[in-house]
Amino acid sequence: MSLTLDPARLVRIQSWADRYTDEQKFPGMSVLIRQRGQEVFFANSGTRDLATGAEFERDTVARIYSMTKPITSLILMMLVEEGAIHLDAPLSRFLPAFNDMQALRPGATDIADTEACATPTLHQLLTHQSGLSYPFNPGILPEAMADLDLLFKPTSGTLAEQCSALANLPLALAPGHRWEYSVGIDVIGHVIEVITGQSLDHVFHTRVLDPLGMAHTGFAVPAKAVGRFASLYTPLAGDAMDLTASADESTSLRLFDDAQNSPFRETTCFSGGGGLIGTIDDYMAFAECLRLRGRGLISPSTADFMMANHLPGDIASLGPASFAEQPMDGMGFGIGGAVVIDPARSRVPSSIGDFSWGGMASTFFWIDRVHDVSVVLFTQLSPSSSYPARAELKALVHGALM
């Protein structure tokens, strides 16, 4: 089996990680790389808890937040394959509370200034073209969502209750008119519950986590894993959920979510958009499933469909006003993840077709199907806009290609 990543150049990643943790920019981090199914590199650095000095080890359990989205999306594609649904179905077919939708009028200055609009489809929810939003985005709807705490947090009641509250608000804009990062895939999680008649937690385990051997991944931290659960830090003095903020040289790490008292220990809301915790090896099992075009969970044809660009161009061409976990220039979007369509315009060394996504705690993964490479980055720092670590890691990996 021919490998094309130079081990001598991959070692640079260790020095890069050590620099981030030595400078207290990240508390701790780990990087795992496979090529053609073979592990070619692993590095870890720093700590999972600054107070105790416990190392950020390979079996450290971390919050993966929005890296939950591709898994939820994969499960929905399983249901598509089984003929249970089709992607152009309106959301209201499964969640009637989303009938008779309203959207804010262009230029609206009040949440009540709305007009009738179409109900978003499942495809629009999966590709962030639904008109929904996130509380941390700018705008009238995000402000209303923030007031109601509609972020699908671990202890925010149930998934059904969060979706019900969301249905009482208008959309930020009519579906299909703009790309806006949103809670759409959280709503897809509840659609999955309705179709299967099972909790999303149960569906995740039976359809993905157990078949792939992801034994340390779930929506809540089990008691036996609390000792390996990392604390979450922020370099910001203010809101660690401010995903438009960047750290500056004078910042220091501040504890944001203590592992011992985290809401992830008492989860009631199974967030398909951001609720999973797990280990780096577990997530690599999922990444490898995608690299291997479904690995028996979905067909190769469906996997290719999922990782294709579903937008008419790149994200930037759709006029987004929201935060995104990826660059927008040169980046398309598939079912639950970003797709590189023009590496030069993205300004990050990449291969055409790279499929990826990240999480609020600065975690990241991508699959390079040109070079048969899967990469997973774990750390625990919010917001993910703090440092350009993802772009730097991609450059380091591409710099090791022979």
Side-chain angles (χ1 to χ4, degrees):
M1 180 179 295
S2 177
L3 301 176
T4 59
L5 284 166
D6 182 355
R9 286 179 168 237
L10 288 174
V11 170
R12 295 169 174 171
I13 296 171
Q14 183 70 66
S15 300
W16 168 80
D18 289 342
R19 185 169 65 252
Y20 261 112
T21 58
D22 289 347
E23 293 175 0
Q24 291 278 285
K25 291 181 176 178
F26 287 115
M29 61 197 304
S30 58
V31 178
L32 179 59
I33 304 174
R34 288 182 175 269
Q35 186 175 36
R36 299 188 178 132
Q38 179 177 325
E39 183 174 321
V40 294
F41 185 78
F42 173 77
N44 65 308
S45 184
T47 69
R48 64 175 179 265
D49 189 286
L50 293 176
T52 66
E55 291 185 14
F56 201 100
E57 297 173 317
R58 187 158 182 159
D59 66 351
T60 292
V61 175
R63 303 155 193 77
I64 67 169
Y65 287 123
S66 287
M67 279 165 57
T68 307
K69 288 178 170 69
I71 303 180
T72 304
S73 301
L74 177 74
I75 292 172
L76 193 83
M77 293 311 301
M78 291 180 177
L79 298 175
V80 170
E81 280 193 338
E82 294 165 12
I85 51 170
H86 64 91
L87 293 181
D88 280 335
L91 173 61
S92 54
R93 181 173 300 175
F94 311 98
L95 306 182
F98 287 90
N99 265 320
D100 303 320
M101 294 299 297
Q102 296 282 312
L104 292 168
R105 295 180 190 276
T109 57
D110 185 88
I111 194 70
D113 187 5
T114 64
E115 59 188 6
C117 69
T119 298
T121 66
L122 301 184
H123 185 264
Q124 289 169 332
L125 290 162
L126 289 163
T127 57
H128 299 298
Q129 299 178 90
S130 65
L132 290 169
S133 194
Y134 258 123
F136 47 70
N137 287 332
I140 295 171
L141 176 62
E143 289 175 5
M145 293 176 68
D147 289 343
L148 296 171
D149 202 22
L150 285 176
L151 193 53
F152 294 79
K153 296 176 182 177
T155 54
S156 299
T158 66
L159 185 53
E161 289 167 349
Q162 288 276 284
C163 287
S164 179
L166 184 67
N168 290 324
L169 295 174
L171 299 175
L173 69 161
H177 285 120
R178 192 173 73 212
W179 193 95
E180 179 145 346
Y181 195 40
S182 79
V183 296
I185 298 179
D186 282 295
V187 177
I188 287 290
H190 188 39
V191 169
I192 291 170
E193 291 186 323
V194 169
I195 294 169
T196 62
Q198 301 169 333
S199 73
L200 193 64
D201 181 45
H202 179 80
V203 176
F204 262 61
H205 278 281
T206 58
R207 285 186 173 261
V208 176
L209 304 183
D210 293 347
L212 293 181
M214 297 170 67
H216 306 287
T217 299
F219 287 103
V221 183
K224 63 182 180 182
V226 170
R228 296 186 286 113
F229 188 38
S231 291
L232 177 66
Y233 295 86
T234 180
L236 306 182
D239 184 8
M241 301 289 183
D242 182 359
L243 297 179
T244 62
S246 297
D248 61 44
E249 294 302 318
S250 64
T251 58
S252 58
L253 294 173
R254 176 173 65 87
L255 181 64
F256 181 64
D257 181 17
D258 174 23
Q260 298 299 315
N261 301 293
S262 172
F264 282 95
R265 297 192 62 183
E266 303 290 342
T267 301
T268 59
C269 180
F270 304 128
S271 166
L276 285 181
I277 54 91
T279 62
I280 195 167
D281 280 286
D282 273 14
Y283 205 86
M284 178 58 80
F286 174 70
E288 285 286 274
C289 170
L290 293 180
R291 184 186 66 83
L292 293 169
R293 302 173 69 206
R295 206 173 191 172
L297 296 188
I298 55 174
S299 77
S301 175
T302 300
D304 291 344
F305 173 84
M306 181 176 172
M307 293 185 282
N309 181 28
H310 286 240
L311 305 181
D314 63 5
I315 296 173
S317 70
L318 294 182
S322 67
F323 167 82
E325 290 284 0
Q326 299 272 257
M328 296 184 182
D329 293 317
M331 300 294 292
F333 201 82
I335 302 296
V339 183
V340 174
I341 56 177
D342 187 337
R345 289 198 65 232
S346 77
R347 300 177 299 281
V348 178
S350 307
S351 296
I352 292 175
D354 280 3
F355 186 80
S356 63
W357 205 239
M360 181 177 65
S362 304
T363 57
F364 184 52
F365 90 103
W366 83 89
I367 300 146
D368 180 339
R369 294 192 288 167
V370 173
H371 299 289
D372 267 344
V373 171
S374 300
V375 182
V376 183
L377 164 67
F378 263 31
T379 184
Q380 294 288 268
L381 185 88
S382 181
S384 57
S385 55
S386 300
Y387 302 106
R390 297 167 179 178
E392 291 169 354
L393 181 57
K394 287 204 84 172
L396 283 160
V397 172
H398 272 258
L401 284 166
M402 296 183 289

